[in-house]
Amino acid sequence: QKEVEQDPGPLSVPEGAIVSLNCTYSNSAFQYFMWYRQYSRKGPELLMYTYSSGNKEDGRFTAQVDKSSKYISLFIRDSQPSDSATYLCAITLIQGAQKLVFGQGTRLTINP
Amino acid sequence: DAGITQSPRHKVTETGTPVTLRCHQTENHRYMYWYRQDPGHGLRLIHYSYGVKDTDKGEVSDGYSVSRSKTEDFLLTLESATSSQTSVYFCAISLQDTQYFGPGTRLTVL
């Protein structure tokens, strides 16, 4: 069993829809949770970072962590064609020398 | 982009040849990382460094070595490249409890 599971998609939705992206993880010791966005042939760019259960909002993006269920989500409201990318969840145990464990990534397309 | 550059950006090489990829950062970050990205696997950690001459292995370190003789440079070496090492390689640095990535190097081993 992989430490982090993420549905690879692809996921295709119409512009303006609410998008839900999800990951599950197996090790309850994980403490830090991140979401990255990666455009084709580019490096991953950090979208959201949190270390506590609950919701964290940044503009149209909301990151949700449920440590009891070992489940994390990223919601995108009012989705735009420019949101079309691969979204990767990443989880780590500690600060400092972080060994990030990534999900496979979900490929998202927003159709105009 | 946290001041990270990678070179070369693209490379095609033959099985059995040595290959060195370079990661350069301009902002004196202590921690640096090398990942590879393959379809179906996301990103996987190869090696990381927590200071000059201080390195450690990651999840997929077999066939790779690293060196860090200066704070700003972290080198990844494939001593004898194999076709299974065809991948996209990303360098990253730690900043404020998370990581920022370079633009990547696309390596093809024929």
Side-chain angles (χ1 to χ4, degrees):
Chain A
Q1 181 190 8
K2 291 185 179 180
E3 287 189 282
V4 180
E5 299 275 2
Q6 182 177 7
D7 186 340
L11 182 62
S12 182
V13 302
E15 184 176 354
I18 297 174
V19 177
S20 172
L21 303 167
N22 309 294
C23 289
T24 59
Y25 60 96
S26 57
N27 187 347
S28 58
F30 283 127
Q31 295 291 330
Y32 299 88
F33 308 93
M34 302 159 206
W35 284 96
Y36 286 86
R37 177 175 63 195
Q38 186 176 25
Y39 292 113
S40 181
R41 296 185 173 263
K42 300 290 187 183
E45 59 175 320
L46 181 69
L47 270 181
M48 304 280 291
Y49 159 66
T50 185
Y51 53 85
S52 56
S53 280
N55 293 351
K56 181 177 182 179
E57 196 171 310
D58 185 1
R60 296 185 295 110
F61 298 90
T62 300
Q64 186 178 83
V65 175
D66 182 346
K67 289 187 179 181
S68 63
S69 300
K70 297 198 280 289
Y71 193 86
I72 66 172
S73 300
L74 178 71
F75 298 97
I76 307 174
R77 292 185 300 280
D78 187 25
S79 55
Q80 305 293 312
S82 58
D83 295 327
S84 298
T86 296
Y87 290 80
L88 298 137
C89 62
I91 304 176
T92 188
L93 289 170
I94 60 169
Q95 299 173 293
Q98 302 166 318
K99 300 180 184 180
L100 291 185
V101 181
F102 281 85
Q104 292 179 273
T106 300
R107 192 169 188 178
L108 173 66
T109 300
I110 308 298
N111 300 303
Chain B
D1 63 358
I4 305 169
T5 57
Q6 292 185 233
S7 59
R9 294 294 312 280
H10 302 272
K11 186 169 183 67
V12 179
T13 191
E14 294 188 348
T15 298
T17 61
V19 177
T20 295
L21 309 182
R22 180 184 184 231
C23 177
H24 180 77
Q25 53 121 339
T26 58
E27 299 180 11
N28 216 33
H29 299 294
R30 178 183 176 189
Y31 297 101
M32 299 183 74
Y33 309 81
W34 277 108
Y35 292 85
R36 60 177 290 174
Q37 185 174 33
D38 305 290
H41 290 280
L43 283 89
R44 292 179 291 174
L45 182 65
I46 305 171
H47 281 280
Y48 67 99
S49 170
Y50 45 96
V52 172
K53 297 186 178 176
D54 291 323
T55 66
D56 205 349
K57 296 179 180 180
E59 178 189 356
V60 290
S61 59
D62 287 348
Y64 301 95
S65 63
V66 289
S67 64
R68 192 169 179 199
S69 58
K70 301 184 289 184
T71 299
E72 58 266 35
D73 288 324
F74 191 31
L75 304 180
L76 177 71
T77 297
L78 291 66
E79 301 289 350
S80 178
T82 67
S83 58
S84 65
Q85 293 175 313
T86 292
S87 188
V88 182
Y89 291 86
F90 288 101
C91 174
I93 58 93
S94 284
L95 179 63
Q96 296 175 352
D97 298 335
T98 188
Q99 291 184 19
Y100 293 84
F101 288 81
T105 294
R106 190 169 294 269
L107 176 67
T108 301
V109 183
L110 300 175

